[in-house]
Amino acid sequence: MKLLLAEDEAALAAELLRALRAEHFAVDHAVNGEDARHLGETERYDAVVLDLGLPIVDGVTVLRDWRAAGLTLPVLILTARDGWSDKVAGFKAGADDYLVKPFRTEELVIRLRALVRRASANGATRIACGPLVYDAGLGSFERDGLPLRLTGLEWRVLSCLILRKDAVVPRDQLIERVYDGDAEVDSNSVEVIITRLRRKIAPARIESVRGHGWRLQAGDEA
């Protein structure tokens, strides 16, 4: 899953980037509202963490502009102010959730997973595909009831596929959601990850749809 973090406070941003990437999220970072607005309009994200107090263009304006442009991506707003008026302004602009600073990063991760789950075609907490089960609340996978050990990139690819199981996920969309914006992506790296995942999740299978992308299906358990 790919996130946009729009936060200008350097220490907090560094802490959140470490925590989110440790939870296998791919994260792009914007330090002002102008850059955040541009990234939100030009890149694909599963969710956004948006500070209301951004410089140049404030977070409420950024969010209002996104919604006016028809962008429906889930947005969680951050504010250092515990005033009701700030929350109301954020929700009126189109926010889906909020946190007041200071907050625990664990709560942020849980809320983000819930937002992404609700925004996906499948809103269930536990998503099954044959013997493969994804717990969207915990961000963990099981196969035949046992924990499935995955690398960070494998987790990103598989979570993207299972949230859209039985549907084709385009190649460019998968790459955008798996890698950070400044990462160098080798042309064959996704295929290598897919090959490793096929061995780990069988009999569930990842089907290659020529010229389009990949599709996760339950497969045959016989």
Side-chain angles (χ1 to χ4, degrees), residues 124-214:
T125 302
R126 288 175 64 85
I127 304 169
C129 185
L132 183 68
V133 177
Y134 175 56
D135 189 316
L138 298 176
S140 60
F141 283 93
E142 296 177 359
R143 180 183 175 278
D144 293 324
L146 298 175
L148 185 63
R149 297 184 63 179
L150 301 170
T151 67
L153 289 177
E154 288 171 351
W155 185 94
R156 292 179 185 179
V157 169
L158 192 55
S159 61
C160 186
L161 291 172
I162 202 166
L163 286 171
R164 299 160 182 83
K165 67 173 185 174
D166 297 320
V168 176
V169 179
R171 175 188 173 86
D172 61 342
Q173 188 178 119
L174 187 64
I175 290 173
E176 287 180 2
R177 279 168 163 76
V178 167
Y179 292 96
D180 299 327
D182 56 354
E184 293 186 6
V185 183
D186 180 84
S187 60
N188 294 319
S189 59
V190 175
E191 283 83 355
V192 172
I193 295 169
I194 294 289
T195 298
R196 293 203 305 259
L197 283 173
R198 283 173 172 148
R199 293 195 293 265
K200 291 185 177 184
I201 69 173
R205 62 192 179 91
I206 300 172
E207 176 189 5
S208 295
V209 182
R210 186 178 296 275
H212 295 281
W214 295 273

Side-chain angles (χ1 to χ4, degrees), residues 5 10-24 27 105:
L5 171 64
L12 176 59
E15 177 186 353
L16 294 180
L17 286 169
R18 284 194 299 270
L20 292 170
R21 286 168 177 162
E23 292 291 333
H24 309 308
V27 189
T105 56

Side-chain angles (χ1 to χ4, degrees), residues 15 20 63 79 87 94 108 215 220:
E15 177 186 353
L20 292 170
L63 182 51
T79 176
K87 299 172 190 174
L108 175 64
R215 173 167 49 209
D220 300 321

Side-chain angles (χ1 to χ4, degrees), residues 70-86:
L71 297 178
T72 60
L73 72 173
V75 176
L76 184 150
I77 56 174
L78 303 178
T79 176
R81 299 156 290 186
D82 199 11
W84 177 246
S85 61
D86 297 313

Side-chain angles (χ1 to χ4, degrees), residues 11 21 37 48 54 74 117 210 215:
R21 286 168 177 162
R37 181 168 56 191
V48 177
L54 291 172
R117 185 176 70 248
R210 186 178 296 275
R215 173 167 49 209

